[in-house]
Amino acid sequence: MVYDPGKSLHSLHPLKETSSVYGGLHPISRSFGYGAGEVCKDVFEIGKVSSHMSEFQQLVVEVIKRKKTRKLFIPNVFYEVAGYHAPHMIHRVANGTGLGGSNYTLSQESRLDQVKGQLTHLSCRLREYGAEEVRDCLHRRPRTRLIYVGDSRIRQHVEVMLDLIRPLNPVLTTHKGQTITVGDFLGDKGMRQWKKYKHNFTVECPGLYVEFRWAPLLHLRTSEKGGVQPEFKVGGWDFLQALAEAEEDKMPDLLVLDTGAWQLHQRLETVLDQIDDASVYVMTKLRPLLARLAQRTTVVWTLPDPFKDYISHEYSRMSYFSHQTNTILEWVLNAQVSLPPLGIIKWDSFLPVAHAAVSDCVDLYVGNVSLDLLPAFNSFPSIMAWHCTERMHIGMEALSLAVQMTLNHICNPYMDGDYCCSS
């Protein structure tokens, strides 16, 4: 059984600077179809209220905006509360008519279809892109070059995007120059040989170039490795430094970064040491480099999705107890909100959806629903589609909405209709 809500998810768009809420000038924004210095943040950043919001949701949005503007601590609960009104995939029914005779059933519409593209915490409406709409967008845009740098939580954005644009016949090339089919990359072969295929790779099709760089520790040099699983603890500093000095035609239209989960993997003497090292120190070190990058392109910093704290920590031979909990992650998130330089887009609009996805998993556990009843999602097997048994990742089904946000940011200025960031 495969869950297919109808249209696939895929949309890219630029950001339009229209008020004092937005800061920083991006010369490369011309590739998005806007004038000099115009960058629209409406897709990525929570902060504008609108008439379609309930009074309660307006209050939540205003509080988040005020705390971000004043650089005050934002408890994770505000994003979780915003997620109460985000579209859920698991819904309660009566009389045991749900999955496996339970009182919970699976929506037959995608999250975006459920709300007709209007997330309650955003002031503008999202368009849902399929492969053909993406093809149309790429034909209209002068170029589309995207670079993602971070860990598996951001790499899976690229995988969902790759699945969506499969009809465009993308060419996928590994860091060793080997071409691999999309089916092999997204399937068992790619999962079994992660380092060979998914460590670093590029995706190309007419009008589109996407690059992923594995660098879960952005603040470290590539050579600074050590400790447990050193092959995974790769720094991103050298790559970002080279990018900041690259020729214009090598610069991306959009640079998407994430970090946080692997920073919490090591164990320091105290929790306060952990917080200082993983949040304040990291962002302070990255700040000058991020400022240089923000002068040359649009930089989107993806704030960390919540962990699933109902799943216990791993104590296997290859791992040990870590500080990868939502309580500690709050401090990392707030450092990433408060410390980047002006001009960096801090992507928090997906967080309510991520919390809704975690809530869906909790409902399944509370309802004692067998996870075997959950369907696959497009190319992704059930276990990856929903990720209810794994602490670190939001399911591919939910990430498809994050991909739609990215596509809306890039494509809407070139497409007809009244959507977020439309020209």
Side-chain angles (χ1 to χ4, degrees):
M1 177 170 59
V2 176
Y3 172 71
D4 184 357
K7 288 180 286 186
S8 296
L9 310 159
H10 235 51
S11 55
L12 301 119
H13 85 236
L15 295 107
K16 182 179 181 182
E17 199 142 12
T18 55
S19 75
S20 60
V21 173
Y22 306 130
L25 299 180
H26 301 269
I28 206 167
S29 64
R30 63 182 179 274
S31 62
F32 288 132
Y34 291 102
E38 292 184 348
V39 177
C40 168
K41 301 183 180 182
D42 291 351
V43 171
F44 291 129
E45 292 199 359
I46 295 175
K48 286 186 177 180
V49 298
S50 63
S51 58
H52 76 266
M53 296 178 182
S54 67
E55 185 177 348
F56 175 78
Q57 195 75 327
Q58 283 187 350
L59 177 61
V60 172
V61 170
E62 286 282 11
V63 169
I64 291 175
K65 174 186 175 181
R66 183 170 66 251
K67 286 181 172 292
K68 286 193 296 184
T69 302
R70 298 181 180 178
K71 299 187 185 303
L72 301 175
F73 192 88
I74 309 175
N76 220 6
V77 68
F78 285 110
Y79 291 112
E80 186 176 0
V81 167
Y84 294 166
H85 300 279
H88 287 64
M89 294 303 296
I90 302 299
H91 299 280
R92 191 173 181 86
V93 294
N95 305 320
T97 57
L99 293 168
S102 71
N103 289 332
Y104 293 92
T105 189
L106 177 71
S107 174
Q108 296 305 300
E109 293 184 300
S110 72
R111 295 180 192 267
L112 208 51
D113 281 340
Q114 289 181 50
V115 294
K116 305 295 187 293
Q118 184 65 71
L119 296 174
T120 59
H121 58 279
L122 289 184
S123 61
C124 55
R125 188 162 60 100
L126 296 173
R127 174 175 183 156
E128 190 160 11
Y129 282 82
E132 289 306 312
E133 288 83 4
V134 174
R135 190 198 304 274
D136 189 15
C137 161
L138 297 176
H139 179 72
R140 299 183 186 194
R141 285 176 49 83
R143 73 168 187 174
T144 305
R145 187 179 182 91
L146 312 177
I147 295 181
Y148 292 77
V149 186
D151 57 27
S152 59
R153 300 188 352 149
I154 199 66
R155 186 197 72 231
Q156 290 186 348
H157 286 230
V158 184
E159 294 184 75
V160 173
M161 181 181 294
L162 179 60
D163 178 63
L164 186 144
I165 64 171
R166 187 186 295 218
L168 307 186
N169 299 316
V171 176
L172 197 150
T173 306
T174 71
H175 65 288
K176 294 187 176 182
Q178 178 184 359
T179 299
I180 179 175
T181 68
V182 175
D184 283 345
F185 183 82
L186 296 179
D188 291 339
K189 186 174 183 178
M191 290 295 294
R192 289 196 308 268
Q193 302 186 60
W194 173 88
K195 192 171 183 180
K196 182 177 180 180
Y197 297 126
K198 297 191 179 183
H199 192 73
N200 299 311
F201 59 89
T202 62
V203 177
E204 294 183 74
C205 62
L208 177 66
Y209 173 89
V210 181
E211 180 175 356
F212 170 75
R213 279 284 182 146
W214 173 265
L217 302 172
L218 296 180
H219 63 296
L220 296 183
R221 304 289 300 270
T222 304
S223 59
E224 294 181 87
K225 302 176 183 178
V228 178
Q229 299 174 305
E231 69 274 20
F232 296 111
K233 294 185 175 182
V234 177
W237 182 273
D238 293 339
F239 178 78
L240 296 178
Q241 179 88 1
L243 191 62
E245 300 169 356
E247 296 179 2
E248 186 70 14
D249 63 348
K250 300 297 183 183
M251 291 300 295
D253 300 296
L254 197 66
L255 174 62
V256 186
L257 307 174
D258 92 315
T259 191
W262 282 84
Q263 293 168 275
L264 299 177
H265 194 264
Q266 62 181 345
R267 188 175 184 180
L268 299 181
E269 186 173 347
T270 70
V271 173
L272 289 178
D273 289 337
Q274 180 72 45
I275 292 171
D276 285 343
D277 187 73
S279 55
V280 177
Y281 167 73
V282 167
M283 297 310 300
T284 302
K285 183 176 180 180
L286 284 171
R287 187 182 178 92
L289 181 53
L290 293 176
R292 291 175 60 196
L293 287 164
Q295 290 299 312
R296 302 200 62 196
T297 188
T298 299
V299 181
V300 175
W301 187 282
T302 309
L303 297 180
D305 299 330
F307 298 133
K308 300 183 186 72
D309 278 345
Y310 63 82
I311 299 175
S312 61
H313 287 277
E314 184 182 356
Y315 289 93
S316 71
R317 182 177 61 84
M318 294 299 294
S319 186
Y320 49 86
F321 180 79
S322 72
H323 292 298
Q324 292 170 315
T325 68
N326 284 325
T327 301
I328 304 300
L329 193 67
E330 270 190 332
W331 292 91
V332 175
L333 182 149
N334 276 275
Q336 294 179 4
V337 168
S338 301
L339 295 178
L342 290 176
I344 300 295
I345 299 170
K346 289 156 283 191
W347 188 358
D348 66 346
S349 63
F350 181 66
L351 291 181
V353 180
H355 279 284
V358 173
S359 176
D360 286 342
C361 289
V362 171
D363 282 343
L364 293 171
Y365 275 104
V366 170
N368 198 30
V369 178
S370 172
L371 300 181
D372 293 336
L373 297 174
L374 294 176
F377 176 77
N378 295 343
S379 298
F380 304 105
S382 173
I383 191 171
M384 292 183 63
W386 308 95
H387 267 318
C388 287
T389 59
E390 198 264 0
R391 282 181 57 86
M392 303 296 296
H393 298 92
I394 300 300
M396 299 300 206
E397 169 276 324
L399 285 180
S400 63
L401 202 156
V403 170
Q404 286 294 335
M405 290 177 172
T406 307
L407 288 169
N408 272 254
H409 172 75
I410 290 181
C411 287
N412 285 355
Y414 294 87
M415 307 293 282
D416 298 329
D418 184 16
Y419 298 97
C420 297
C421 299
S422 294
S423 294

